[in-house]
Amino acid sequence: FIFQLDIYCHHLSIMTTSSTSSSTSRKTNRRQRPGQGLSIYLATACIIMSSTNCNKQAQAGRPLTPSIPDNEDIDYSHPEYIEWEDGPTSAEEFDHDNNPEICGLEYLTVEEWEAGKYWEKDKPVLVKNVTAGWKALNNWKKQEMLLRYPDAEATMGEARLVGETGPDEAGKNLQPTTVKEFITKHMYNPLKYFFDRKISIPKGMLEDCHPFPMPTRAYLENPNASEKYAPSKKKKVRSTPDRELWRDHLAISIGSDLQGLTFHHHREAWNVVLFGSKRWILWDHARWNGHNEMQWRLTRDWANDAHVTGAEWIRRLYPEPDREREIREFGHDCIQRKGDMMFVPHRWMHMVVNIGDTVSVISEVGLEKGEGKKPEDFEYDPNEESSDDSEDWSEDGPPPGWYEGRGPPPGWNEYDSEDGPLAGWSEDDSEDGPPPGWSEDDS
């Protein structure tokens, strides 16, 4: 009880500081959370227990995200949550009705998505009823997934840290796991999130998601569609490099309430929710490209040099007038529900927060067939300085709080201008060589 109260005190000090520093006349769409009436009582207990501990981190300038120990003695199994729908949900706090003034995205049918080839356009869209006919609606129910695919291998880690580097480069911030181990032992641990782009998916799991949305389905139907005859080689060769193809491999995301990757960007991608819901914050690439300080100030708690969780960003930072106005004018704040597909264009900054237990699949340009990870993939420190950490900043210079030895700023994938390499997660790993604009000095 004392430990939980200490965490509450920490949250309370954050909310109090935020509310006093922001405008009292600002409009808000958040509803009051159940149990909020206990605030005065618990605040008093907080003061009695230790008034100085509540603000110690803020005064020291350290990250304000609560430091919850990854204690192996804590039981995170929660067998009482039999199906995905049984887990805790923050819908009362984080859900909203996709008011056009807040979300502002087109809501398409599958037929409209395909006829308009929206995957070739530079704007996000939501597509409804994408999972119609998918076997996964039954086979990926919680208990069914445990029976059918218990040994499917993947990785897990703290979503906040994985969001900084991308899952392909997270190194020791990730741990190997299986579907069964994660769901039955770790899923409700706030420091464990199942997100893997290189998962070795059993064939049956992929088939459960047929028919794939376009354009991923086109590759499945004809992988050689881009091949053309090359007279010099006297054979057909692929005219489109692998890193530019929507191939038939999917990434999988499984996480409990409030989990989700923090701000990042990558190549074009679609994300389909099978169970649960997600809240998305998206920010137009054309707005922030080349403006490192603008990126830093919007996506991070720059005043405290902290990289916070998505839930904390929405709770504490988003209500600040400048951030809220920026997303309203140059971004989107949307809810994706079961059966919906979110399309994210190339290099649009985005973050996601789960509302309830959430399962989704992702297809991304250049995503290779999963073969699992090797032991050495978990050994290196992604934040450790190396001899090739030459930063290629724009004219604005490095963002506030930068100092040598800390590595590139989280979430930017090292390059923020069009002159550098593509800003995805390891898109240059294919046999076709590095992406356009890459030079030997950058490798």
Side-chain angles (χ1 to χ4, degrees), residues 97-110:
D97 60 1
N98 277 340
N99 185 316
E101 295 182 2
I102 298 173
C103 176
L105 290 186
E106 288 189 76
Y107 204 9
L108 308 174
T109 65
V110 173

Side-chain angles (χ1 to χ4, degrees), residues 18-49:
S18 176
S19 62
T20 55
S21 64
S22 57
S23 172
T24 56
S25 62
R26 184 170 57 252
K27 294 181 180 179
T28 176
N29 293 287
R30 293 179 295 174
R31 307 186 189 96
Q32 187 178 25
R33 299 187 70 190
Q36 218 165 18
L38 293 174
S39 294
I40 296 176
Y41 170 77
L42 291 175
T44 305
C46 194
I47 295 171
I48 294 173
M49 187 176 69

Side-chain angles (χ1 to χ4, degrees), residues 11-23:
H11 275 296
L12 187 63
S13 68
I14 291 170
M15 290 188 291
T16 303
T17 303
S18 176
S19 62
T20 55
S21 64
S22 57
S23 172

Side-chain angles (χ1 to χ4, degrees), residues 284-304:
D284 192 347
H285 169 243
R287 174 67 173 170
W288 58 260
N289 182 38
H291 299 284
N292 293 297
E293 184 169 336
M294 179 187 290
Q295 296 172 55
W296 193 264
R297 285 178 177 271
L298 184 129
T299 63
R300 295 174 69 91
D301 178 9
W302 59 272
N304 294 287

Side-chain angles (χ1 to χ4, degrees), residues 1-11 49 68 74:
F1 173 79
I2 293 297
F3 171 76
Q4 294 296 331
L5 185 57
D6 185 54
I7 294 298
Y8 177 85
C9 290
H10 184 82
H11 275 296
M49 187 176 69
I68 304 174
I74 298 177

Side-chain angles (χ1 to χ4, degrees), residues 227-412:
E227 288 186 350
K228 295 181 180 179
Y229 183 77
S232 61
K233 296 186 177 181
K234 298 181 179 180
K235 64 177 183 178
K236 286 186 175 182
V237 296
R238 183 176 292 165
S239 59
T240 304
D242 285 350
R243 66 176 176 274
E244 299 294 331
L245 290 175
W246 291 86
R247 287 178 284 185
D248 61 334
H249 177 62
L250 302 181
I252 295 180
S253 164
I254 303 175
S256 58
D257 189 50
L258 301 183
Q259 291 281 15
L261 297 186
T262 49
F263 279 107
H264 62 283
H265 57 89
H266 44 66
R267 292 300 306 270
E268 301 93 327
W270 55 251
N271 182 305
V272 175
V273 166
L274 290 105
F275 300 97
S277 300
K278 291 178 179 286
R279 183 165 175 179
W280 290 75
I281 305 292
L282 303 106
W283 192 25
D284 192 347
H285 169 243
R287 174 67 173 170
W288 58 260
N289 182 38
H291 299 284
N292 293 297
E293 184 169 336
M294 179 187 290
Q295 296 172 55
W296 193 264
R297 285 178 177 271
L298 184 129
T299 63
R300 295 174 69 91
D301 178 9
W302 59 272
N304 294 287
D305 190 24
H307 187 56
V308 300
T309 66
E312 187 175 348
W313 189 91
I314 291 175
R315 283 171 172 155
R316 186 167 58 83
L317 301 181
Y318 189 24
E320 294 177 2
D322 288 344
R323 285 189 175 90
E324 187 177 73
R325 182 170 54 251
E326 185 69 22
I327 296 302
R328 292 288 187 271
E329 295 182 6
F330 303 100
H332 305 275
D333 174 355
C334 301
I335 303 297
Q336 176 193 19
R337 307 193 189 282
K338 178 178 179 179
D340 288 350
M341 179 177 78
M342 173 69 78
F343 169 67
V344 182
H346 184 199
R347 300 189 74 182
W348 269 66
M349 194 75 73
H350 58 282
M351 77 167 197
V352 180
V353 176
N354 287 352
I355 300 176
D357 289 359
T358 304
V359 180
S360 66
V361 291
I362 303 98
S363 178
E364 181 186 324
V365 169
L367 192 60
E368 299 179 80
K369 182 179 180 180
E371 297 179 352
K373 291 196 174 188
K374 305 177 181 65
E376 55 267 27
D377 293 333
F378 302 97
E379 294 175 356
Y380 68 91
D381 184 349
N383 296 318
E384 186 175 327
E385 183 182 18
S386 63
S387 59
D388 57 0
D389 283 341
S390 58
E391 292 73 43
D392 184 19
W393 301 110
S394 69
E395 294 178 357
D396 298 318
W402 172 268
Y403 60 84
E404 292 184 6
R406 196 171 72 185
W412 316 139

